[in-house]
Amino acid sequence: RNNAVEEALDVALQNAFATLVSREVVAANLEFFYNQILKNRSDYILTYRVLGSVESRGYVMVGVETKVDLSSLEERLTRARILNPDKDKPTILFFIAEKTPDELLPNYWWGKNPMPYQSVAEKVIVNRLLQERYFILGTGSDRPDPSYYNVNFGSIYDIASAKELGRQMKADMIVFGKASSSEAINRMGEQMTFNAEINLEAYDLETGEKAVVSQVEAAAKSESASLGYAASLQNAAELSALDLK
């Protein structure tokens, strides 16, 4: 019976952990949870009461009412940088489809038939927001698997599914849109001119309403097409980051 109560307290603390962060964050921090939280369970369990127990075939099932100190748990997770330390700034999940003329279709990480990629525009925007201590989810190698959250995208422009994935991951906002670059007609000697356009919409996931609309354009010159596309996207992304901030 004592062992059953101990296990019930562990489960209560695990459930409290899961209410504060997404399932993906729980999975990525299991070692921390078991070594730093469960081993110091008494720091977070304020009170508990055994409501009853049932014994059958050598097993015991117990019902335990538990009060967890969520403030202390949040503080510990914040110190470990698992929770967003700046409550006044939103936690954001980005969905930016990106395309250059070298590519037949835009690159994206969500929806049907996604391809692994690192968006030039997203990288610049995320780095600028991180410098301002915003908390960004699901970038680089940490892209979430929508099916893990039972979210199915009908297309790459399925904003409703993007919102649902953001909610499942405990984001405050999503930023959804596209970035593209193209070669301009005019030239200056050997240098070519490249134009980039980034159109983004930010949605508040608490209300579901559109909170920000950002539409920017920028240009760059280069003798190389690939470098020119990237440079124009970087310049446009700097402007997008200012808009979003």
Side-chain angles (χ1 to χ4, degrees), residues 18-23 91 137 165-172:
T19 64
L20 297 175
V21 298
S22 69
R23 287 178 289 180
T91 298
L137 296 172
L165 182 58
R167 292 187 187 98
Q168 291 287 340
M169 294 186 65
K170 303 293 195 296
D172 299 307

Side-chain angles (χ1 to χ4, degrees), residues 14 24 44 76 91 106 115 126 156 197:
Q14 179 178 320
E24 187 173 68
Y44 308 104
R76 182 67 184 91
T91 298
M115 295 291 291
V126 165
I156 64 172
E197 183 177 352

Side-chain angles (χ1 to χ4, degrees), residues 104-178:
L104 182 62
L105 297 171
N107 291 303
Y108 58 96
W109 60 264
W110 65 96
K112 297 180 178 179
N113 304 315
M115 295 291 291
Y117 83 109
Q118 178 62 56
S119 164
V120 173
E122 181 190 274
K123 185 176 181 180
V124 173
I125 294 170
V126 165
N127 284 341
R128 292 293 175 267
L129 294 182
L130 287 174
Q131 290 172 10
E132 298 294 326
R133 299 184 65 81
Y134 287 85
F135 196 75
I136 312 298
L137 296 172
T139 61
S141 60
D142 295 325
R143 300 287 192 197
D145 179 359
S147 65
Y148 180 81
Y149 296 93
N150 296 317
V151 176
N152 297 307
F153 283 80
S155 72
I156 64 172
Y157 304 111
D158 186 349
I159 295 178
S161 293
K163 290 180 182 178
E164 179 58 25
L165 182 58
R167 292 187 187 98
Q168 291 287 340
M169 294 186 65
K170 303 293 195 296
D172 299 307
M173 302 186 77
I174 63 164
V175 173
F176 196 98
K178 57 185 177 179

